[in-house]
Amino acid sequence: MITINNDQLKELEAFINQIPTIYGLPLLQFFGKLNAEQNPPVEEVKVD
């Protein structure tokens, strides 16, 4: 069992709150790049 005090809890919460900012955007950019490489946009041609 692990016991943490209030200061440690605040430090842990601050770290957890940084995770989406630090890792989220780079991951989205990485997957966006992979998607663009593997699924290139297809230009639609309308026939009237």
Side-chain angles (χ1 to χ4, degrees):
M1 182 171 164
I2 296 175
T3 304
I4 60 175
N5 61 31
N6 268 351
D7 291 337
Q8 292 167 325
L9 180 60
K10 288 178 185 177
E11 187 178 338
L12 179 60
E13 287 176 340
F15 173 73
I16 290 171
N17 287 332
Q18 289 177 345
I19 290 173
T21 306
I22 294 172
Y23 300 107
L25 185 56
L27 278 173
L28 288 175
Q29 290 171 337
F30 174 76
F31 287 122
K33 181 181 172 188
L34 280 180
N35 183 48
E37 289 173 356
Q38 295 177 11
N39 302 299
V42 177
E43 190 173 319
E44 293 184 20
V45 178
K46 288 188 176 182
V47 178
D48 290 329

